[in-house]
Amino acid sequence: MDDLYPRLSKDNAALLLVDHQTGLISGLVRDYGVDEFKNNVLALANTAKFFDLPVILTTSFENGPNGPLMQGLVELFPDAPKIARPGQINAWDNEDFVTAVKLTGKKQLIIAGVVTDVCVAFPALSALNAGYEVFVATDASGTFSKQVANAAIMRMAHSGVQLMNWFSIASELQRDWRNDIEGFGALLASQLPGYQNVMESYEGAQKDFNKQ
Amino acid sequence: MDDLYPRLSKDNAALLLVDHQTGLISGLVRDYGVDEFKNNVLALANTAKFFDLPVILTTSFENGPNGPLMQGLVELFPDAPKIARPGQINAWDNEDFVTAVKLTGKKQLIIAGVVTDVCVAFPALSALNAGYEVFVATDASGTFSKQVANAAIMRMAHSGVQLMNWFSIASELQRDWRNDIEGFGALLASQLPGYQNVMESYEGAQKDFNKQ
Amino acid sequence: MDDLYPRLSKDNAALLLVDHQTGLISGLVRDYGVDEFKNNVLALANTAKFFDLPVILTTSFENGPNGPLMQGLVELFPDAPKIARPGQINAWDNEDFVTAVKLTGKKQLIIAGVVTDVCVAFPALSALNAGYEVFVATDASGTFSKQVANAAIMRMAHSGVQLMNWFSIASELQRDWRNDIEGFGALLASQLPGYQNVMESYEGAQKDFNKQ
Amino acid sequence: MDDLYPRLSKDNAALLLVDHQTGLISGLVRDYGVDEFKNNVLALANTAKFFDLPVILTTSFENGPNGPLMQGLVELFPDAPKIARPGQINAWDNEDFVTAVKLTGKKQLIIAGVVTDVCVAFPALSALNAGYEVFVATDASGTFSKQVANAAIMRMAHSGVQLMNWFSIASELQRDWRNDIEGFGALLASQLPGYQNVMESYEGAQKDFNKQ
Amino acid sequence: MDDLYPRLSKDNAALLLVDHQTGLISGLVRDYGVDEFKNNVLALANTAKFFDLPVILTTSFENGPNGPLMQGLVELFPDAPKIARPGQINAWDNEDFVTAVKLTGKKQLIIAGVVTDVCVAFPALSALNAGYEVFVATDASGTFSKQVANAAIMRMAHSGVQLMNWFSIASELQRDWRNDIEGFGALLASQLPGYQNVMESYEGAQKDFNKQ
Amino acid sequence: MDDLYPRLSKDNAALLLVDHQTGLISGLVRDYGVDEFKNNVLALANTAKFFDLPVILTTSFENGPNGPLMQGLVELFPDAPKIARPGQINAWDNEDFVTAVKLTGKKQLIIAGVVTDVCVAFPALSALNAGYEVFVATDASGTFSKQVANAAIMRMAHSGVQLMNWFSIASELQRDWRNDIEGFGALLASQLPGYQNVMESYEGAQKDFNKQ
Amino acid sequence: MDDLYPRLSKDNAALLLVDHQTGLISGLVRDYGVDEFKNNVLALANTAKFFDLPVILTTSFENGPNGPLMQGLVELFPDAPKIARPGQINAWDNEDFVTAVKLTGKKQLIIAGVVTDVCVAFPALSALNAGYEVFVATDASGTFSKQVANAAIMRMAHSGVQLMNWFSIASELQRDWRNDIEGFGALLASQLPGYQNVMESYEGAQKDFNKQ
Amino acid sequence: MDDLYPRLSKDNAALLLVDHQTGLISGLVRDYGVDEFKNNVLALANTAKFFDLPVILTTSFENGPNGPLMQGLVELFPDAPKIARPGQINAWDNEDFVTAVKLTGKKQLIIAGVVTDVCVAFPALSALNAGYEVFVATDASGTFSKQVANAAIMRMAHSGVQLMNWFSIASELQRDWRNDIEGFGALLASQLPGYQNVMESYEGAQKDFNKQ
């Protein structure tokens, strides 16, 4: 009955970032605040970087109003395969994309994208059908409204998608702080302002008591 | 295991618009803003028009306080079957309606209506029982409150309804931009103000650089 | 596969109103506005009255801070069995209550109560286990917050409860307006201010045109 | 410096109800829930009735889509002057209305209406200019959104309107419970479900202890 | 004491639309929904058109990321002065703009723009200082969040700006339906979906009773 | 121009707690969460206790559904004057209350109560008229909804009330941590769970570094 | 079919409190108000104390920014096993923790923690896989936002976790008030301010009528 | 009448950052999201840096639970006066702080801090009394709740504070893009993710058309 807890592992997982393009984000994403959404997407990306996961980037009509991929993602993954889809809306309909996924050799797919109900839900369901374990990073995926997002994640959950968020993904990949305490701490500090505050408070306290 | 992703296809789908009547909308729909709801309903309708799906309109007591069908829908589908139900609340209890559905020859039914918990949920569940694949356009369906809407879509999801929204429906029917780039772009531009903005920005940029 | 749409029928249904006591409502219910909640509860009760459903009232420690049953319910159902539970929190643990349910001879139970996560969820799940079809009136049930309500209805849905609201219950029991157009219209007009407005507008229009 | 507290008095006040018409309410009012708004309007009206204030009703184009006055108001004030304005949007532009106000002989005007930013704000500001003390019942006045309502009440406050709500108006007119304890208690019980609950709890407790 | 009600008049008013550019709207406006904001802006513009008010358009760096003026505005006012500001952020710092305002000969300025706290607040306060009466259309002006919008309108109100919204502006300019019943009704029907619904219901009722 | 900053001083201030009765709180207060409101009221009361301010308690019809004063307040101020008003709604209409206020010899009055629009606003405005400086503790005052609260505090601000909250009142009375660092810290820790967390974190850090 | 209602029993249940550390709470928890969250956690803990359930405390890196366990929990359970995990993020990966769970001999695990999506979801799913019945106290578990919480509880529900809250847990463990009326009443009064109010009202009424 | 528009000028303005300490932020600030608040504070700080305004930092008990100043601010202003107040809560009560303000020679003070109702409101009102023009950056100031923030900014506005936000402050200081187009653009791009998106879209379009 092990399947009640499909569990991400850094050895088995790949990250698929689907259509985080500047035009789509500014034109369509309204279920997260602008600051929060940017931070979530970069946090997920940096998580993958930290764990050295294979990452696949894909875009839809990037030479057009949808716009280029967020510059932050481009800089983070200069060597990742970037599939510029000539027209397929569901990334899984693009053979190059599916091939790139297969080439990672991983069976656990972490997916985030814009918009949740299309660019995330469609390939997520396709990947489930193809036999992958699928983990959606809900908070690094955006769409028109909270109502649309809620319907989309409910749909995915009913098909078997594991609903996660960037922080739970990072935590599951890390498994144990001792695998790299400083590195993981630095990841959290840089991506999570709330955690950065408590870290700085702790360091401040350390200085106080060392003075004594 | 293909059924994890029941996938809309423009060859297999029909649209059922249930009771988008002016009295019901103004009297009962409070889970979407007035502008947003009108735009969502017309966007879904124009999507069906664009893909030439069979459309069936139905109303409940339109000669009375429930009011006539939104004029915008009437104008869009002058030749669609319009079943004015003499009393049945669940449209599926009306034989003419079921017959009209059968006559489309389609097995995938996209349903939207007012109110979600009755005019959508009842025929959606009936259609599931009758063996159809059912896709509800949640954001083109309205009801008393977000709480009522949430309970209704959760109920439907547990029975097997696929929760979608007009944009994901349009995207799934389109499958590939190359099937008609200009047409699909025009559909989005006219129905999606957020996308219209980024399209106009892109055209503006084009003019800027052509001037140079 | 008929069970995808467990369908309420006025011949098979009974209504169980659990602990709509004035102390519990004023002290604990915060997921609905005060006006809205009162109207929803009375609307559900009047629906049962209209369809002549068997109704069972039950209270928990009514001689104490929980307070008496809402006076409006007492007046509506002077002859209904009212089980004042001496201590059992889950009404289903009270033999008199279960006996009263059995005596109705109905297999479909509509349940509403205060608070949703206890007084509704516990007997709802017990009744499912006992083989009943259970329909919860989510909007005539109240609790501490929207978050608690959401968790409770999600729990119930996963066990098989049908999530409904008073209006969808009334609509399903009515099935067809022609069963009693005036009666059903009057029910809606008196319980649904939004519908009352459109009815009055329609009557106003009738006067206008009759004048002409 | 007495003018820091312009104080309503039942001997000096009149109530102006502006355009609470069924079409305007169902089509335009979205800053209050449907149940809450109806209850607030009727509570204000019953308050005026209880204190025997002069009441003036006025409507805009009631033979048309704006619809008739809410039936509840018509029934409550069969003998009140009802000025059906032939076209003036600001009721104060209608001579009959201003004359009716003058005939009350009162210098304190309580105003509520639909929509707040027009049908309330315009005559409220006109009345201020004409030298009246103006008290707006903000919660018996409705409009398109909370944002529009907020701007409108801020505008009125800056010109000198006293922002009140039906309950504070009732309380100020009553001044002292002893003026009519039972009558005022009955008014609150019938118009304020939250108060009704605590009254019923208290009566329940009374029965408990009398039994002992 | 007439100044408690600075009152818009179609003979004295001009409309200033400041920086409704597609890049600014999609990138920055988050205090209104996308559909609602577009509708509000076009409604205000059509109102000015209907009353034949002088309109002045102005943009900030339209050859750049801020993007062109919304196409809908361009089409509506092909002959209006359009001041493309070469750099001034406060439009009032641009001499051409101030000159254009003066040339209208009007002393009442209706202002809307993006973003509220800058492109609206700055010229609004400048215009007050220059002796104009200033009326801000709050709901046709957008910015980063409701919190920022609230602070900006509170600031403006304290300096003497009249806070209005497109509908109250249209109503005040119209003054009396009889000035053009059909024209004004058509304006509302086309710009106000909520009113469109009640109009269609009324027309539906008319057909019903004419049939009889 | 010193009056731009009417500044609370522990030597000049008294606290008036108006009608924090259990029936009124449970029946009427809906603009704050239940936990938050209780904590705010007790925090304000403990603040007055800490600074040894004169405190006056008053109730309206406490032998009736309004209920007794919150037990927590009774226990905190066993010796404070408690004016049980026989009927006056505005506490300032009660001579004993006004006398008690005068006897404190203070000219700065901190007021909180239930409900904000009546039990706070009325005496606050009366006190302003009587020449007192008035500081309302907005977050220890509750009412029907955020909309009603907003209108009430806007009304009071326009008459000259200083809008504060329990924490800003405590901070202003304290003026300087050095007046009693441990006492003030303990006050915050016990009344402010958010501050308690950072205090416990700091103490935890202290232990960590002392161990080293 | 008894498993539709997995039912907590005080004889079979243990409580696991995971990482309620002061740094994590102040830095990360934003889906509940500060007062509400503290009250919920302590209410759950006091519930376990009242029913004498085995309790296991665990922390993650408490000598660091995550901070110590909330002092309130430490004081409540001085003798409970407290597993300070040296690095494992999922508490179930820590052998001492799993051993402590086994040693309780209970098969029903109530879990709450910070953050919901990690410290609750991971061990909850692990425990399901290990054959335990799992009941999550959703309102005593906190995380970054309501959106993240919603996705996490939806994920858990789909795997079979029973979604509850501290009050429904207390009610289920109590089963019948008569098992200890005074004790259970005192628990509710001290942990539930809303219930405390109605209890004090009832006691006040008792005094009133005893006086007579 | 020039004072209707107190206008910030980079030659006359100084920035006062009051108590942006990590303990206070994580423990107390709940009216802005964590990401949004951090971004707003750093944006305001970078704005001051860009315009080379004098900046004064001050902290309250930084050797204690309040924690150190946000590290980001420390790094940005290594040479700014940093007044560690030994106890005064209102920074204006600290002579060193007031002296530092005077030494800037500026008469326009921009103030932001934590918490808004104390650390911002108190010195803001003191500065008004001392004859300064005061501009509060509302969105770089945080506090317990939106309700507390609203009351605090309403209080300040009534005393004459100009309510602004970091973006309107930056815009007013810049006055004209041509003063430094690239520098100002870079400031916006780095601090305003929404603007960054449209800038990247524009650059993407530029690349597209240059390819052609």
Side-chain angles (χ1 to χ4, degrees), chain D residues 1-2 4-7 31-32 138 146 150 154 157-158 162-165 167-168 171-172 174-178 181 192 194-195 198-199 202, chain F residues 23-24 26-28 60-61 63-66 86-90 93 115 117-118 122 125-126 128-129 144 147-148 150-151 154-155 158-159:
Chain D
M1 219 167 53
D2 247 78
L4 293 177
Y5 181 19
R7 192 171 188 184
D31 56 339
Y32 287 93
T138 53
K146 291 186 183 174
N150 189 47
M154 209 185 280
H158 276 276
Q162 298 297 309
L163 301 178
M164 297 187 77
N165 46 303
F167 182 73
S168 62
S171 298
E172 193 69 296
Q174 175 70 10
R175 291 287 175 95
D176 193 310
W177 276 82
R178 290 167 300 184
I181 294 182
L192 206 52
Y195 200 72
V198 294
M199 286 184 78
Y202 190 74
Chain F
L24 295 174
S26 59
L28 307 185
S60 168
F61 270 135
N63 301 326
N66 292 352
Q88 302 93 343
I89 291 177
N90 179 344
D93 285 343
V115 293
D117 42 303
V118 173
F122 293 179
L125 298 176
S126 290
L128 282 178
N129 265 349
F144 306 94
Q147 290 160 294
V148 166
N150 189 46
M154 208 185 280
R155 182 191 191 197
H158 275 277
S159 282

Side-chain angles (χ1 to χ4, degrees), chain D residues 24 28 60-61 65-66 87-90 118 122 144, chain E residues 10 43 46-48 50-51 166-192 195-196 199:
Chain D
L24 296 175
L28 308 185
S60 169
F61 269 135
N66 292 353
Q88 303 94 341
I89 291 177
N90 180 343
V118 173
F122 294 179
F144 305 96
Chain E
K10 65 183 171 189
N46 278 292
T47 296
F50 177 72
F51 291 106
W166 84 260
F167 182 73
S168 62
I169 289 167
S171 299
E172 193 69 295
L173 294 169
Q174 175 70 11
R175 293 284 174 96
D176 192 310
W177 276 81
R178 291 167 299 184
N179 291 329
D180 180 354
I181 294 181
E182 292 202 1
F184 192 60
L187 176 69
L188 299 194
S190 68
Q191 304 299 322
L192 206 52
Y195 200 72
Q196 186 182 23
M199 287 185 76

Side-chain angles (χ1 to χ4, degrees), chain B residues 15 30 38 77 87 100 106 120 181 183-184 197 200:
Chain B
L15 172 65
R30 294 294 181 277
K38 178 189 166 190
F77 304 114
K106 309 299 183 186
V120 177
I181 294 181
F184 193 59
N197 283 328
E200 292 185 9

Side-chain angles (χ1 to χ4, degrees), chain G residues 80-107:
Chain G
K82 197 184 113 187
I83 316 297
R85 306 194 310 278
Q88 302 93 343
I89 291 176
N90 180 344
W92 209 265
D93 286 343
N94 179 292
E95 286 188 21
D96 294 344
F97 183 78
V98 175
T99 301
V101 172
K102 281 184 189 155
L103 283 174
T104 66
K106 310 299 184 188
K107 295 305 285 177

Side-chain angles (χ1 to χ4, degrees), chain B residues 17-39:
Chain B
L17 294 171
V18 186
D19 303 350
H20 286 98
Q21 293 166 259
T22 57
L24 295 175
I25 295 171
S26 58
L28 307 186
V29 176
R30 294 294 181 277
D31 55 338
Y32 287 93
V34 170
D35 298 315
E36 186 184 10
F37 188 66
K38 178 189 166 190
N39 289 14

Side-chain angles (χ1 to χ4, degrees), chain B residues 7-198:
Chain B
R7 192 171 188 184
L8 271 177
S9 154
K10 65 184 170 187
D11 299 326
N12 302 338
L15 172 65
L16 316 183
L17 294 171
V18 186
D19 303 350
H20 286 98
Q21 293 166 259
T22 57
L24 295 175
I25 295 171
S26 58
L28 307 186
V29 176
R30 294 294 181 277
D31 55 338
Y32 287 93
V34 170
D35 298 315
E36 186 184 10
F37 188 66
K38 178 189 166 190
N39 289 14
N40 286 348
V41 173
L42 292 180
L44 177 65
N46 277 291
T47 295
K49 184 95 176 179
F50 178 71
F51 291 107
D52 210 18
L53 301 191
V55 173
I56 300 171
L57 306 171
T58 181
T59 57
S60 168
F61 269 134
E62 64 181 62
N63 301 326
N66 292 352
L69 208 58
M70 283 170 62
Q71 186 58 26
L73 294 180
V74 174
E75 289 165 5
L76 212 54
F77 304 114
D79 303 326
K82 195 184 114 188
I83 316 295
R85 306 194 310 278
Q88 303 94 342
I89 292 178
N90 180 344
W92 209 265
D93 285 342
N94 180 292
E95 285 188 22
D96 294 344
F97 183 78
V98 175
T99 302
V101 172
K102 281 185 189 153
L103 282 173
T104 66
K106 309 299 183 186
K107 295 304 283 178
Q108 299 186 318
L109 303 182
I110 302 165
I111 307 182
V114 171
V115 294
T116 312
D117 42 305
V118 173
C119 307
V120 177
F122 293 178
L125 297 176
S126 291
L128 282 178
N129 267 349
Y132 289 89
E133 284 187 318
V134 178
F135 304 80
V136 163
T138 54
D139 63 347
S141 302
T143 189
F144 304 95
S145 68
K146 290 186 184 175
Q147 290 160 292
V148 166
N150 189 45
I153 68 168
M154 208 184 281
R155 182 191 193 195
M156 290 190 276
H158 276 276
S159 283
V161 165
Q162 297 297 309
L163 301 178
M164 298 188 76
N165 47 302
W166 82 260
F167 182 73
S168 62
I169 289 168
S171 298
E172 193 70 295
L173 294 169
Q174 175 71 10
R175 292 286 173 95
D176 193 310
W177 276 82
R178 290 167 299 184
N179 290 330
D180 180 354
I181 294 181
E182 293 204 358
F184 193 59
L187 176 69
L188 299 193
S190 69
Q191 303 299 323
L192 206 53
Y195 199 73
Q196 185 182 24
N197 283 328
V198 294

